[in-house]
Amino acid sequence: MPSKTNKFKVVGKNNDGVVVRLYGMDDVIDVFDENLKLISTRTIDFKGETGLLQYIMLNKTGAVIFYLSQDKKYSVLLAQPVNSKFIEIGKPLVIDTIYDRKDLVAQNLRFKPSVDQSYLMIYYPYFTGNTLASAKFICVDRSLKARYNKTIPLNRDEKAIEDAKSLIDNNGNTYFILKADSKADGNLFDVFRLGGNDDFNMYSISTEKALFGDPNFEIDNRNGNLVMNAFYNDDKKAEEVAHGFFYTSYNPGTGALLKTGYTPFNQDFIKELTGRATTDKAKLYTFTIRKAVLRNDGGSLILAESFIRDTREIPIQVGFQPGFGNYHTAYVYQFNDLIAFSINPQGDVEWHSVMKKKQSSEDDNGIYSSFLTINEKDKLRFLYLDEIASSGVLNQYTLGSDGKVDRKAVMNQEEKDVMLLPKSGRQVAPNEVVIPSYLNGSLKLAKITY
């Protein structure tokens, strides 16, 4: 990697090739051909550019790069069209001016595309003291024509932004979801919906039971629903655990409840997961919902992973004398089993599958752990390392639409001299995935075609 870049991201793939961004002090765009041969590289240095690039929107060929030109009291968001070699085409377009401190704008500006890539939503939260005062929402289409540009008042505690969810559907409508007051037996969420021609409304949705962990929200573009999936807790005062999960769908325009289903874990499921029978009430402690894959019929597949972050004290010996009270605190990251629950449109569970894995690492923030999902419509593939070490093997679970699971080894890392980061990979085509490798300061790419 170049000396002035220490981070990287697989942006995606278009007719020009696979696009990778390297960034740090400089922003470098590399483009690779079908054989992962580097065919062009460009250090981005636009006129008036301040700081790092904000977002890259790929076109069929070329792209549009969003960046900031900043003064102390305001920032101008610009969009610069570029060609296949990331050289400027014409002058940049002004998207909007944001009046706030330049450091806050650079840190808090967010971008989210619709699933079909036809719209891009941009939002920026404004803070007043410890209050999330309001948020600006901008939506542009592929030609950079604005669908709306609206600031809505929020007046929430600043911590509300930590749990905020933002969604945009294929019609360019935005849904900004904030957690509201909690109840003893459930949770309340406020949904702010924005559309074209000043179309704006706000509604609240609630759950019957208290949540365990963060909920997952998705827009079902095929069936026109807002879907929430989450784990729930029957008695939060007694214990912080999950006793089951639920699926709920709403009318995204009004918040009207369409379907809901709460499913408790049973003893057979816990025995299958842990290998041990128990007479206690079935419950999970460490699992987090990573994502939900929406079914064509309006149902949902919930995918959860076991995660534990812990610490351990390692004694340090200085010289030849035993140390007294000298310890190093190591942060241990464990990413273990996967669980999939398939739920029909009525909220009932059709099947579940357990996929065993065990990953543990120290002081790496878990970047080599967890998994990458590949969606092939009739099946899902999950790629992960069986061991977080250069000797580890890239493994794959294949999950069919009927819940049947198959596992196989895909690649021996030592043979290829790589150290893969599966969860940083990207599906770039219906049958193709690109995974970055970072080993001894060197970035490589691995491509898998099905």
Side-chain angles (χ1 to χ4, degrees), residues 84-99:
S84 60
K85 296 184 181 299
F86 279 78
I87 297 172
E88 297 95 318
I89 302 174
K91 295 182 179 180
L93 302 175
V94 175
I95 301 300
D96 199 14
T97 300
I98 302 172
Y99 293 92

Side-chain angles (χ1 to χ4, degrees), residues 8 54 127 151 234 241 277 281 304 306 317 361 368 389 401 406 429:
F8 48 85
Q54 294 297 304
F127 297 94
T151 300
D234 278 328
V241 297
K281 185 175 182 179
S306 175
Q317 183 171 323
S361 62
Y368 297 98
S401 57
D406 175 68

Side-chain angles (χ1 to χ4, degrees), residues 49-63:
E49 177 193 354
T50 304
L52 297 177
L53 304 183
Q54 294 297 304
Y55 185 77
I56 300 173
M57 181 173 71
L58 294 182
N59 296 324
K60 289 184 178 179
T61 181

Side-chain angles (χ1 to χ4, degrees), residues 362-409:
E362 292 183 5
D363 292 336
D364 67 348
N365 206 30
I367 62 171
Y368 297 98
S369 300
S370 200
F371 62 96
L372 170 66
T373 304
I374 303 136
N375 190 336
E376 293 190 72
K377 293 186 178 180
D378 62 330
K379 57 181 172 291
L380 298 174
R381 300 181 192 268
F382 308 108
L383 294 172
Y384 68 97
L385 295 178
D386 67 342
E387 181 184 3
I388 309 306
S390 57
S391 59
V393 173
L394 181 68
N395 276 6
Q396 172 186 278
Y397 274 111
T398 301
L399 176 65
S401 57
D402 56 0
K404 294 181 179 179
V405 173
D406 175 68
R407 181 173 66 175
K408 72 173 185 178

Side-chain angles (χ1 to χ4, degrees), residues 146-159:
R147 174 169 165 77
Y148 50 80
N149 185 333
K150 189 177 184 68
T151 300
I152 60 173
L154 297 173
N155 297 316
R156 305 297 177 92
D157 187 276
E158 63 177 350
K159 293 183 179 179

Side-chain angles (χ1 to χ4, degrees), residues 9-21 29-37 39 55-63 84 86 117 142 425-435 445-450:
K9 179 181 180 180
V10 179
V11 178
K13 181 182 178 182
N14 61 6
N15 292 343
D16 306 321
V18 176
V19 179
V20 177
R21 178 188 175 194
I29 307 297
D30 287 347
V31 182
F32 299 83
D33 66 11
E34 287 291 337
N35 298 315
L36 297 185
K37 179 182 178 182
I39 54 177
Y55 185 77
I56 300 173
M57 181 173 71
L58 294 182
N59 296 324
K60 289 184 178 179
T61 181
S84 60
F86 279 78
Q117 306 290 308
R142 302 268 336 162
R426 191 176 185 92
Q427 184 174 357
V428 296
N431 65 334
E432 192 174 283
V433 63
V434 173
I435 305 175
L445 298 177
K447 184 174 77 171
I448 302 173
T449 302
Y450 296 98

Side-chain angles (χ1 to χ4, degrees), residues 102-395:
K102 59 187 295 186
D103 58 325
L104 292 177
V105 176
Q107 292 173 12
N108 293 307
L109 198 59
R110 297 289 183 266
F111 297 76
K112 192 176 187 71
S114 59
V115 172
D116 66 358
Q117 306 290 308
S118 57
Y119 290 96
L120 177 66
M121 182 262 287
I122 307 163
Y123 83 87
Y124 178 76
Y126 288 99
F127 297 94
T128 302
N130 295 325
T131 301
L132 173 61
S134 60
K136 173 190 281 286
F137 292 88
I138 304 168
C139 178
V140 297
D141 61 19
R142 302 268 336 162
S143 66
L144 301 180
K145 181 181 178 181
R147 174 169 165 77
Y148 50 80
N149 185 333
K150 189 177 184 68
T151 300
I152 60 173
L154 297 173
N155 297 316
R156 305 297 177 92
D157 187 276
E158 63 177 350
K159 293 183 179 179
I161 199 68
E162 297 176 4
D163 300 319
K165 313 291 182 182
S166 59
L167 305 169
I168 180 170
D169 64 25
N170 288 343
N171 295 315
N173 301 309
T174 287
Y175 306 86
F176 189 63
I177 305 171
L178 291 176
K179 189 174 181 180
D181 296 333
S182 298
K183 305 177 294 181
D185 56 349
N187 291 83
L188 188 67
F189 296 88
D190 290 333
V191 181
F192 301 84
R193 177 188 171 276
L194 298 92
N197 300 318
D198 289 328
D199 178 17
F200 169 73
N201 64 302
M202 190 274 282
Y203 55 82
S204 296
I205 57 178
S206 62
T207 66
E208 298 175 12
K209 297 177 180 288
L211 300 186
F212 172 79
D214 294 328
N216 176 278
F217 290 94
E218 299 286 348
I219 284 290
D220 184 345
N221 287 291
R222 178 182 289 269
N223 297 284
N225 301 330
L226 171 64
V227 176
M228 175 167 56
N229 297 286
F231 287 141
Y232 69 81
N233 183 305
D234 278 328
D235 187 0
K236 267 200 165 184
K237 293 182 180 179
E239 195 175 15
E240 187 68 28
V241 297
H243 293 111
F245 61 91
F246 70 86
Y247 158 94
T248 308
S249 63
Y250 304 90
N251 180 310
T254 65
L257 179 65
L258 300 176
K259 297 290 182 180
T260 188
Y262 286 77
T263 304
F265 302 129
N266 58 45
Q267 300 290 353
D268 291 339
F269 163 71
I270 296 299
K271 183 178 180 180
E272 179 185 355
L273 178 65
T274 65
R276 302 187 302 271
T278 177
T279 56
D280 295 334
K281 185 175 182 179
K283 51 195 172 184
L284 295 179
Y285 291 90
T286 64
F287 281 83
T288 300
I289 294 179
R290 294 299 184 197
K291 68 185 305 178
V293 179
L294 300 179
R295 297 180 9 167
N296 288 337
D297 62 3
S300 180
L301 185 139
I302 300 175
L303 189 65
E305 181 181 34
S306 175
F307 170 67
I308 303 170
R309 181 180 180 271
D310 207 350
T311 60
R312 69 186 188 98
E313 301 296 323
I314 303 173
I316 301 173
Q317 183 171 323
V318 180
F320 295 101
Q321 299 297 322
F324 295 94
N326 294 322
Y327 291 90
H328 163 68
T329 300
Y331 291 91
V332 182
Y333 298 87
Q334 297 181 59
F335 292 79
N336 298 323
D337 301 340
L338 299 176
I339 312 172
F341 303 98
S342 188
I343 307 168
N344 66 24
Q346 287 70 47
D348 301 319
V349 179
E350 291 190 346
W351 51 259
H352 74 265
S353 295
V354 175
M355 291 163 277
K356 297 285 188 177
K357 69 180 180 69
K358 188 174 183 179
Q359 300 169 305
S360 181
S361 62
E362 292 183 5
D363 292 336
D364 67 348
N365 206 30
I367 62 171
Y368 297 98
S369 300
S370 200
F371 62 96
L372 170 66
T373 304
I374 303 136
N375 190 336
E376 293 190 72
K377 293 186 178 180
D378 62 330
K379 57 181 172 291
L380 298 174
R381 300 181 192 268
F382 308 108
L383 294 172
Y384 68 97
L385 295 178
D386 67 342
E387 181 184 3
I388 309 306
S390 57
S391 59
V393 173
L394 181 68
N395 276 6

